[in-house]
């Protein structure tokens, strides 16, 4: 129990950006556009947040919440704008979505380091101080639950929780969500019903860019504190979580928490004796292996959006 | 006519990529003309540099062929990085632990590494053929499984003398570098892999264009259902195509980690696996096109360090240019339409 309480905050901190990025992928894929550029969009968000927050820190003071929130806001905007490149290629030009997404990953990975080197000389951008985890008053006094969920939490965790609830509501309870899902299942029918498929897909892809950008920013202002040109494959882990969670917000919450704990246990297994007996490889490779297994098990009953990955061409039936 | 069209599309992508590179150079406060001058000079100015360019091209030819071959069967092998890692790990393991005459050892390493790559790609191939699991997702997962396998295997069994994060140095006996070749190219990274790569280009061209196997694979790529109706065993061809693709990526791993590099480092996804997609796209999936675009990217790779030393331009501009070229290759339909418009006008006038 004590060990659990010890690693819980770390696991949550690791899960939160994963969840945000994965929800971004959810919007995009539900509209019918596969976005394997999540990794690159996260990198662009992390870079933007580092640049803006570190500049604002010199004005407002180290670790000033205003500087950090401005950084996160900029990450959201840049992520959304950057994802328009993917949207233009895969929606307007009907390009191969996987190649376009790969290009996004590569452009983000090299261009951000290029810009960082131009700005700072080294390829790294550092902020002085990130968010400081704090206890929620009253709620943190609840036995067990309070210690796990309401102590040492980041403000960004609650923001992401709100986004999760909102994403569920928007996708399943609003006309917008219904139209979005229709575009991903059968765009021809959606079009015949008067929905502008191209517009819906543009909105969905830029939402995915915004959320992936936010995710990259969250990594920076919570546990990393420094931009170094990558997010260590978290974008692909988010993609795995999207599939393992079967394209459903609550499934994604479960999948990201599952992956977050596995990764955290692998990271601390050197320090905590109970875990040192589990081979690190098993824990680290685990999310990808279970995703492959899930793909096989659900191959007959997959909840994947049926038109995901296919460009929509109005002229075709 | 079709060949001109794909050449035009490829050239347009390259030109736009270079132009974007020029813009970024100018934005970073450097003179683009000087930047490009040193970039290309750095890749070609003397025998050592040319050797390095060919050494970079060696890896790209293998990964480019791997991606192009899978494309021909209508599959997208985005897992060349992982297959390359597994090939490299197998090659490193043998190179560091087996003692035997070089003439037996090197072929053994080549075969074992290629088989490891083939096996790593056959798994997603099987999942696609049997369970209809999308190969893009499956190969991405396999990439990360390979990444973590290397991450934990190297320090556990082949730990370097000084660093935990790399393997021991590969002994000269097991290295693909040859003294005479290194001497000709004045101490560059070039290695015997270049001959293997050249052979692979020819063999893949023959398989695709002159054999029944190649015909069947391409038929599956053009139209899976028509191929099935014509009596072609589609699942078998999918697994086979992925295996051959992985075989090539495994060769990339062997020649990269035991030829270009001198040991294997952990925590790095080899960029050649992804660059292979760019190479294949630019080469219009033809083996000869792959060879040509590999040499071009090889120049960018080996010239960027020299450019960085001579100007203030960060070396990442090389990768940025490649990335932007991929984006324009993906949006090639723009240029294809432009080409069609241009040629249509001309034929009307005539």
């Amino acid at each position: 129990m004590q060990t659990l309480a010890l690693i819980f905050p770390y696991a949550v901190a690791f899960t939160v950006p994963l969840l945000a990025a994965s929800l971004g992928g959810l919007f995009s894929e539900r509209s019918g556009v596969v976005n394997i550029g999540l990794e690159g969009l996260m990198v662009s968000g992390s870079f933007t947040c580092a640049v803006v927050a570190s500049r604002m820190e010199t004005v407002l003071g180290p670790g000033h919440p205003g500087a950090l929130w401005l950084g996160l806001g900029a990450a959201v905007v840049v992520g959304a704008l950057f994802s328009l490149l993917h949207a233009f290629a895969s929606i307007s030009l009907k390009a191969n979505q996987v190649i376009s997404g790969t290009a996004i990953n590569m452009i983000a990975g090299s261009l951000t380091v290029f810009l960082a080197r131009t700005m700072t000389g080294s390829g790294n951008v550092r902020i002085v101080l990130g968010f400081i985890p704090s206890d929620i008053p009253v709620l943190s006094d609840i036995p067990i639950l309070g210690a796990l969920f309401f102590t040492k939490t980041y403000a960004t965790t609650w923001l992401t929780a709100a986004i999760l609830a909102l994403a569920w509501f928007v996708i399943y309870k609003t006309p917008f969500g219904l139209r979005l899902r229709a575009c991903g299942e059968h765009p021809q029918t959606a079009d015949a019903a008067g929905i502008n498929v191209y517009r819906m897909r543009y909105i969905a892809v830029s939402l995915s860019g915004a959320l992936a950008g936010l995710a990259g920013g969250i990594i920076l202002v919570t546990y990393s504190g420094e931009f170094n040109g990558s997010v260590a494959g978290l974008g692909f882990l988010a993609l795995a979580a999207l599939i393992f969670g079967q394209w459903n917000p609550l499934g994604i919450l479960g999948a990201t928490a599952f992956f977050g704990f596995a990764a955290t246990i692998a990271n601390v297994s050197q320090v905590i004796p109970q875990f040192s007996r589990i081979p690190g490889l098993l824990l680290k490779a685990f999310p990808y292996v279970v995703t492959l297994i899930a793909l096989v098990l659900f191959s007959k009953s997959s909840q994947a959006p049926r038109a995901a990955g296919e460009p929509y061409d109005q002229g075709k039936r | 006519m079709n060949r001109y069209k794909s050449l035009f599309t490829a050239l347009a992508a390259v030109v736009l990529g270079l132009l974007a590179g020029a813009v970024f150079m100018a934005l970073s406060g450097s003179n683009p003309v000087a930047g490009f001058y040193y970039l290309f000079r750095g890749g070609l100015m003397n025998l050592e540099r040319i050797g390095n360019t060919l050494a970079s091209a060696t890896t790209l030819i293998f990964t480019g062929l791997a991606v192009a071959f899978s494309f021909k069967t209508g599959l997208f092998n985005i897992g060349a990085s992982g297959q390359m890692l597994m090939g490299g790990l197998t090659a490193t393991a043998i190179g560091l632990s087996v003692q035997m005459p070089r003439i037996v050892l090197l072929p053994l390493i080549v075969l074992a590494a290629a088989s490891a790559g083939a096996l790593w790609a056959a798994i997603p191939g099987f999942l696609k053929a049997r369970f209809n699991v999308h190969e893009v997702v499956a190969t991405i997962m396999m990439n990360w499984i390979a990444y973590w396998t290397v991450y934990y295997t190297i320090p556990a069994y082949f730990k370097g003398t000084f660093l935990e994060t790399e393997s021991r140095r590969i002994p000269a006996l097991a290295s693909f570098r040859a003294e005479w070749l290194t001497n000709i190219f004045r101490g560059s990274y070039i290695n015997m892999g270049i001959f293997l790569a050249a052979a692979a280009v020819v063999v893949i061209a023959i398989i695709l264009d002159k054999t029944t196997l190649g015909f069947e694979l391409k038929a599956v790529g053009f139209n899976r259902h028509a191929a099935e109706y014509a009596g072609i065993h589609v699942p078998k061809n999918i697994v086979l195509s992925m295996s051959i693709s992985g075989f090539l990526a495994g060769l990339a791993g062997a020649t990269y980690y035991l030829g270009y590099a001198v040991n294997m480092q952990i925590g790095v996804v080899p960029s050649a696996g992804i660059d292979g997609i760019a190479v294949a796209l630019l080469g219009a999936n033809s083996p000869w096109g792959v060879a040509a675009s590999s040499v071009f990217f090889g120049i960018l790779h080996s010239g960027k360090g020299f450019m960085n030393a001579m100007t203030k331009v960060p070396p990442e501009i090389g990768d940025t240019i490649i990335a932007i070229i991929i984006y324009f290759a993906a949006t090639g339909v723009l240029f294809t339409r432009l080409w069609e418009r241009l040629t249509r006008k001309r034929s009307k006038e005539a």
Side-chain angles (χ1 to χ4, degrees), chain A residues 36 85 89 93 95 98-99 102 106-107 110 113-114 117-118 233 236 240 243 280-281 284 288 292 295-296 299, chain B residues 24 28 76 78 127 131 137 140-142 144-145 148-149 152 274-275 281 314 316 319-320 323 326-327 330-331 333:
Chain A
I36 69 163
L85 270 183
L93 295 181
V98 175
I99 297 173
T102 306
M106 293 179 69
I107 294 175
S110 49
V113 180
F114 174 83
R117 269 197 215 282
T118 313
F236 291 109
I243 298 162
L281 173 59
K284 286 288 193 178
Y288 308 104
L292 279 179
L295 279 168
V296 171
S299 61
Chain B
F24 285 120
S28 76
F76 194 164
I78 200 169
L127 295 181
F131 300 104
V137 177
I140 289 176
M141 299 303 133
M142 295 301 285
W144 290 96
I145 298 172
W148 290 113
T149 305
Y152 283 101
I274 300 295
D275 288 349
L281 280 178
E316 280 74 21
D319 307 302
T320 308
I326 294 204
Y327 183 76
T331 54
V333 61

Side-chain angles (χ1 to χ4, degrees), chain A residues 113-146:
Chain A
V113 180
F114 174 83
L115 294 173
R117 269 197 215 282
T118 313
M119 286 177 204
T120 63
S122 78
N124 297 6
V125 184
R126 188 187 283 272
I127 57 169
V128 184
L129 209 61
F131 278 119
I132 297 158
S134 59
D135 298 355
I136 306 282
V138 186
L139 289 177
S140 61
D141 297 331
I142 304 172
I144 304 176
L145 286 183

Side-chain angles (χ1 to χ4, degrees), chain B residues 282-293:
Chain B
L282 213 54
N285 298 331
S286 106
W288 312 106
V290 164
S293 43

Side-chain angles (χ1 to χ4, degrees), chain A residues 20-77:
Chain A
S22 207
L23 288 173
L26 174 70
F27 277 105
S28 177
E29 298 220 349
R30 278 292 192 167
S31 82
V33 181
V34 168
N35 192 352
I36 69 163
L38 285 180
E39 173 95 357
L41 295 165
M42 285 174 85
V43 170
S44 74
S46 177
F47 169 73
T48 311
C49 184
V51 171
V52 172
S54 64
R55 290 281 155 90
M56 291 312 291
E57 273 185 333
T58 58
V59 182
L60 298 171
H64 190 286
L68 302 176
W69 284 114
L70 273 175
L72 286 175
V76 168
V77 172

Side-chain angles (χ1 to χ4, degrees), chain A residues 72-83:
Chain A
L72 286 175
V76 168
V77 172
V78 168
L81 288 177
F82 193 38
S83 69

